[in-house]
Amino acid sequence: DIQMTQSPSSLSASVGDRVTITCQASQDISNYLNWYQQKPGKAPKLLIYDASNLETGVPSRFSGSGSGTDFTFTISSLQPEDIATYYCQQYDNLPSFGQGTKLEIK
Amino acid sequence: QLQLQESGPGLVKPSETLSLTCTVSGGSISSSSYYWGWIRQPPGKGLEWIGSIYYSGSTYYNPSLKSRVTISVDTSKNQFSLKLSSVTAADTAVYYCARHIVVVTARGWFDPWGQGTLVTVSS
């Protein structure tokens, strides 16, 4: 099984801050990595697929990068509506998710 | 646009079988480009993929749940279903259905998701 480790598990930042979340795979997964946003009480929403491709309609302040085992998700300027938990998901093998990063406003 | 809606009992007794159905609207479940998946989330915890099915009936399951899971599809009703047997309190979770956009067999991303349904396992 491929293990996905996200860090940090929680994060507090101010509006306008640049926010970065990392996801590390237990083995090389090429660029087979997706990012989701889950707001409280809601279903997850796809933001980025294939490590760096922005899903249609997703604001450009969200971005992703990386390949192999190390991946980064970035919000360039945090907005109040970005408060959520973010998950990475690999698909080099059968799908598995990271444990999530809870983002709060400072 | 494509929408998915989960339905089924919200309370299941221990040792019994959990049964849920996902109804797809705004698109055909028989599209050749997609699988259809189930994902669950225990209260306050992370996401766990349960399994996915192709319209032909081909299935892929999470190895940790495979012995207890059956996913089926009814193309005439544009629905797919989940059965999880011998449930315990550890199976209490919000269960989501989602379109599984695949790049390689059963490998890809999930979009969109249903709103989710809470299933509690309790006597």
Side-chain angles (χ1 to χ4, degrees):
Chain A
D1 291 6
I2 299 175
Q3 306 303 316
M4 306 301 295
T5 304
Q6 280 184 240
S7 61
S9 56
S10 64
L11 174 59
S12 182
S14 299
V15 173
D17 281 355
R18 183 181 183 87
V19 171
T20 298
I21 298 169
T22 64
C23 184
Q24 185 170 60
S26 58
Q27 65 187 66
D28 189 320
I29 59 169
S30 185
N31 67 328
Y32 300 146
L33 192 285
N34 310 311
W35 290 97
Y36 299 85
Q37 175 193 65
Q38 185 177 33
K39 296 185 177 181
K42 300 295 186 181
K45 173 187 174 184
L46 177 72
L47 298 181
I48 291 171
Y49 62 94
D50 283 351
S52 61
N53 293 308
L54 201 63
E55 174 70 346
T56 302
V58 174
S60 60
R61 65 180 180 274
F62 296 101
S63 64
S65 64
S67 67
T69 61
D70 296 306
F71 300 86
T72 300
F73 172 82
T74 300
I75 306 174
S76 60
S77 178
L78 184 66
Q79 300 301 303
E81 60 266 31
D82 299 336
I83 298 313
T85 300
Y86 293 85
Y87 293 92
C88 61
Q89 175 241 320
Q90 66 79 24
Y91 68 95
D92 181 70
N93 203 330
L94 295 177
S96 61
F97 293 87
Q99 79 276 22
T101 296
K102 186 175 183 179
L103 178 56
E104 299 174 326
I105 293 286
K106 192 181 294 182
Chain B
Q1 73 278 20
L2 191 78
Q3 293 185 317
L4 297 91
Q5 178 69 57
E6 305 88 352
S7 60
L11 181 64
V12 181
K13 290 182 168 57
S15 79
E16 295 189 345
T17 296
L18 178 160
S19 296
L20 295 174
T21 295
C22 182
T23 300
V24 178
S25 59
S28 173
I29 203 169
S30 299
S31 172
S32 60
S33 304
Y34 309 122
Y35 275 65
W36 303 89
W38 288 98
I39 303 102
R40 70 179 183 179
Q41 184 173 38
K45 296 188 178 180
L47 300 164
E48 179 181 37
W49 172 72
I50 299 170
S52 296
I53 190 166
Y54 195 53
Y55 76 92
S56 64
S58 175
T59 54
Y60 290 85
Y61 298 136
N62 186 323
S64 68
L65 297 168
K66 187 175 183 177
S67 63
R68 298 194 291 130
V69 172
T70 302
I71 298 176
S72 59
V73 63
D74 186 337
T75 55
S76 67
K77 294 182 179 179
N78 230 32
Q79 294 176 335
F80 62 107
S81 299
L82 168 70
K83 291 189 185 297
L84 180 65
S85 64
S86 305
V87 297
T88 69
D91 294 310
T92 293
V94 175
Y95 286 76
Y96 295 100
C97 60
R99 182 176 62 178
H100 190 174
I101 299 170
V102 297
V103 175
V104 182
T105 304
R107 301 175 191 179
W109 48 91
F110 300 96
D111 180 60
W113 297 53
Q115 65 184 28
T117 187
L118 174 63
V119 179
T120 301
V121 178
S122 175
S123 55

